[in-house]
Amino acid sequence: VRDTGIGIAEDKQQRIFQAFEQVDESMTRRFSGTGLGLAIASRLVEMMEGRIWVLSEVDKGSEFHFTAHFELTQEEVPANEPLLKVDLNGLRVLIVDDNLTNCRILEEMLASWNMQTQSINRGSDTLEVMHANQSAGQPFDLVLVDANMPFMDGFSVAAAIKQDSKLGSAVIMMITSSDGQNEHARCKDLGIAAHLIKPLKQSELFNSIAETLGMSGTPQDKARSATAELARQIPPLKILLAEDSLVNQKLALALLEPHGHEISVVLNGRDAVEQRKSRHFDLILMDVQMPEMDGLEATRLIRKYEEETGEHVPIIAMTAHAMKGDRERCLEAGMDDYVSKPVRVRELFRTIEDCLHHDSAAEQTDESTIQKTPAMQQTAHGSESKAAEGEPMQHDHEGTKSIINWQQAMEKSEISSEALSELGQLFLTEAPRLQAEIREALKQNDAQSLRRAAHTLKSSAALFEARPAAEAALRLEMLGKENKMDEARDAFEKLELEFNRLLPAVAAHIDSTTIDKE
């Protein structure tokens, strides 16, 4: 291992292999070294019956050598994980890392795949740089953030992005030095799309970016085989679906009914509470934003009712959230878990299986009458981080501003083109109605109705991988949440522009599907 650093004087070359030794005490302050690295390396080499030494001249650098004995493995060595066959050409990536070397390594990796990069070394500069690029018409497709930075760490950076009404839909990947469950939970809470562990392998980074941006290239038959395996682990269930969106209702039915589940549908939280009191269900899928009574209040009333009966029906929230704190609100209301909209079938089945497993485990330990606390509920995910959280509205190969990506929508929802066309027909009816509701909410200065209608419109557009339209709806939702009605009126013009482009595109895809079928 050769470097071109400060070098080591000959009379000090043996000392550097001892613990807590530096050639010069000032090096600890200048280079953040502790003096342990070479001592550890020396001990490892010794344990492997080898030796380690250095050749060095002051101001000319150092050259380290080591020998070691290795046994030959008797097992077949797997090949390196291949890169997925996808095109990431031209994607714009912002790298946020205080370590210049890490930035350079990431820049070189990404440049080798023809991606455009920009690096900054302070987390506090992130929003300014992102706003500048967005104003210039070149928003970043992806933000790679290091978790461990001074002053403003990666999680604080992610939180600031997600709370920004103009940047809240940004796709963020976090790079950390550990794989702890707490970091998985923090990533999920903040809507971070992926969590990568150092040191990064080139193939791992490439594949993670491809999968996060919906370009996984996974063959349909392989994906459906994995889904079928998950589905087989879940017995037929009686499920209550509380959802006011026709598109999301139809999607849930298309995903669940083929696997033998019996679905009852209600349009608001009030009806969900009444149905829970009058009928038996194995599971409740609860939308968060609904008229008359939202999913959080409905869940609280159901849990209050269950305190009297001693029962506990798992409740999974379905929400197209991208905002900090939504996870805590779901858990505090008494929900067991949640999935993001647009609902992805594997994430849904995995979450259902987790909830059923934990619910039945509680019964076996005679704890079925105990209300699950948020701390208990957070363990429902195990050690797996669901990348679908905050799942981005994706790109096609022609650029980031494409109106729609029908093929990716089919692959990610794992439904047929015909089934997606049926959802498209419903969307063509529902979207204008939701736009009218938004228009009326703006006229009446009704921030709550604005937020709810924009939330539903966002999740429906995201189902068709219509990123510009979904982002326009997201901005209105966040402005409604913040009660910024004047800004929302300006933002509504952008939403109308995007949906005037999107609806004809959906109709054209439906027509082409019909022609192909004929």
Side-chain angles (χ1 to χ4, degrees):
V1 180
R2 181 183 300 114
D3 67 41
T4 55
I6 60 173
I8 305 166
E10 186 175 356
D11 62 338
K12 296 181 179 179
Q13 290 178 8
Q14 291 307 311
R15 288 176 53 195
I16 61 174
F17 294 105
Q18 300 171 19
F20 303 107
E21 286 290 340
Q22 294 277 15
V23 174
D24 183 342
E25 290 299 325
S26 65
M27 289 201 302
T28 297
R29 294 188 297 273
R30 292 167 58 197
F31 301 112
S32 301
T34 62
L36 277 174
L38 286 173
I40 294 171
S42 178
R43 179 64 178 141
L44 288 172
V45 167
E46 180 183 327
M47 293 170 68
M48 299 176 75
E49 301 176 357
R51 68 187 187 93
I52 186 169
W53 69 97
V54 62
L55 303 174
S56 182
E57 291 183 49
V58 175
D59 297 328
K60 291 188 178 181
S62 305
E63 186 173 288
F64 289 86
H65 300 257
F66 77 92
T67 63
H69 286 80
F70 296 86
E71 292 184 2
L72 292 175
T73 180
Q74 300 301 314
E75 300 176 4
E76 183 179 348
V77 179
N80 285 336
E81 184 180 7
L83 296 180
L84 296 169
K85 293 183 179 179
V86 296
D87 183 8
L88 300 180
N89 258 2
L91 290 177
R92 289 185 288 271
V93 183
L94 177 64
I95 301 167
V96 186
D97 195 322
D98 64 308
N99 187 298
L100 294 174
T101 301
N102 289 344
C103 287
R104 191 175 303 117
I105 291 170
L106 287 171
E107 287 169 359
E108 291 178 0
M109 284 185 181
L110 300 175
S112 70
W113 305 318
N114 296 318
M115 299 170 75
Q116 301 174 24
T117 64
Q118 181 175 345
S119 294
I120 55 177
N121 304 119
R122 293 188 304 183
S124 56
D125 293 337
T126 305
L127 295 188
E128 180 181 349
V129 171
M130 291 182 71
H131 278 294
N133 273 57
Q134 191 168 69
S135 299
Q138 295 184 326
F140 292 104
D141 302 298
L142 179 67
V143 183
L144 287 177
V145 186
D146 184 62
N148 303 308
M149 294 187 292
F151 306 114
M152 187 176 189
D153 67 16
F155 293 102
S156 299
V157 171
I161 294 172
K162 290 299 182 183
Q163 289 175 325
D164 191 297
S165 60
K166 294 182 179 179
L167 305 175
S169 62
V171 182
I172 304 172
M173 294 173 64
M174 185 70 69
I175 302 173
T176 71
S177 300
S178 65
D179 193 21
Q181 185 173 342
N182 182 53
E183 292 201 338
H184 281 298
R186 293 181 72 186
C187 286
K188 177 160 186 170
D189 174 33
L190 291 168
I192 294 169
H195 175 208
L196 302 175
I197 312 301
K198 296 178 183 178
L200 289 178
K201 288 174 59 179
Q202 194 166 5
S203 60
E204 178 189 8
L205 176 62
F206 184 96
N207 288 348
S208 185
I209 291 174
E211 290 166 3
T212 297
L213 296 179
M215 303 174 177
S216 66
T218 304
Q220 277 289 86
D221 56 347
K222 184 177 180 181
R224 286 177 177 162
S225 175
T227 300
E229 180 60 32
L230 274 173
R232 279 193 291 270
Q233 298 174 21
I234 302 171
L237 303 173
K238 291 184 178 180
I239 299 174
L240 176 62
L241 172 64
E243 171 64 72
D244 65 313
S245 164
L246 295 177
V247 173
N248 288 322
Q249 285 177 19
K250 182 71 175 178
L251 176 60
L253 292 172
L255 297 179
L256 293 165
E257 285 187 332
H259 299 285
H261 304 296
E262 180 185 326
I263 317 296
S264 299
V265 180
V266 294
L267 303 179
N268 58 65
R270 193 180 307 281
D271 290 344
V273 175
E274 292 306 314
Q275 285 290 307
R276 168 66 187 93
K277 291 180 178 180
S278 61
R279 296 177 57 190
H280 165 75
F281 294 99
D282 302 304
L283 177 72
I284 299 174
L285 298 177
M286 184 81 74
D287 184 32
V288 172
Q289 300 281 345
M290 291 185 289
E292 296 190 44
M293 180 185 290
D294 66 28
L296 299 178
E297 181 60 23
T299 299
R300 292 188 189 99
L301 292 176
I302 289 172
R303 294 306 185 216
K304 185 175 181 181
Y305 166 75
E306 290 179 342
E307 286 179 2
E308 302 171 4
T309 65
E311 300 172 320
H312 181 94
V313 175
I315 300 178
I316 296 175
M318 298 191 304
T319 175
H321 56 246
M323 303 179 195
K324 187 176 185 295
D326 281 351
R327 179 176 186 271
E328 284 87 350
R329 281 188 285 273
C330 289
L331 296 177
E332 287 168 3
M335 293 174 170
D336 296 83
D337 212 324
Y338 68 85
V339 293
S340 298
K341 293 181 183 174
V343 175
R344 305 307 183 194
V345 62
R346 269 174 285 173
E347 182 196 7
L348 177 61
F349 286 157
R350 194 176 292 119
T351 305
I352 290 174
E353 201 277 333
D354 282 347
C355 283
L356 294 178
H357 172 76
H358 283 275
D359 201 53
S360 101
E363 289 178 3
Q364 290 172 9
T365 55
D366 205 24
E367 294 176 9
S368 59
T369 60
I370 298 175
Q371 277 293 101
K372 292 186 179 181
T373 65
M376 292 166 64
Q377 292 156 347
Q378 288 179 21
T379 66
H381 295 285
S383 60
E384 181 176 1
S385 175
K386 298 179 183 177
E389 166 62 20
E391 195 161 7
M393 287 65 77
Q394 311 301 353
H395 314 264
D396 64 11
H397 298 304
E398 297 177 358
T400 62
K401 283 296 179 184
S402 60
I403 301 172
I404 194 171
N405 193 320
W406 199 262
Q407 184 62 34
Q408 281 184 22
M410 278 196 306
E411 290 176 0
K412 295 181 76 172
S413 61
E414 297 188 31
I415 60 177
S416 66
S417 181
E418 291 78 7
L420 191 62
S421 293
E422 291 182 24
L423 294 177
Q425 292 282 12
L426 290 173
F427 180 67
L428 292 176
T429 302
E430 185 176 67
R433 175 179 62 79
L434 290 168
Q435 286 178 267
E437 287 184 16
I438 292 173
R439 197 177 293 110
E440 182 64 20
L442 291 171
K443 183 178 178 181
Q444 299 297 328
N445 222 38
D446 185 348
Q448 184 176 356
S449 296
L450 167 65
R451 179 187 178 188
R452 184 175 60 245
H455 175 93
T456 303
L457 195 57
K458 174 188 66 177
S459 67
S460 298
L463 171 63
F464 300 98
E465 298 299 317
R467 181 181 184 184
E471 288 183 341
L474 169 64
R475 188 173 180 217
L476 272 173
E477 180 189 359
M478 298 185 79
L479 290 171
K481 180 184 180 183
E482 298 165 3
N483 201 20
K484 296 179 178 179
M485 300 304 285
D486 289 337
E487 289 185 44
R489 292 182 181 91
D490 294 335
F492 183 61
E493 294 181 10
K494 172 67 173 174
L495 181 134
E496 287 199 307
L497 173 66
E498 294 300 345
F499 275 82
N500 286 341
R501 300 168 63 212
L502 173 60
L503 296 181
V506 172
H509 276 284
I510 293 171
D511 290 342
S512 66
T513 301
T514 304
I515 293 171
D516 290 344
K517 188 176 180 181
E518 292 175 352

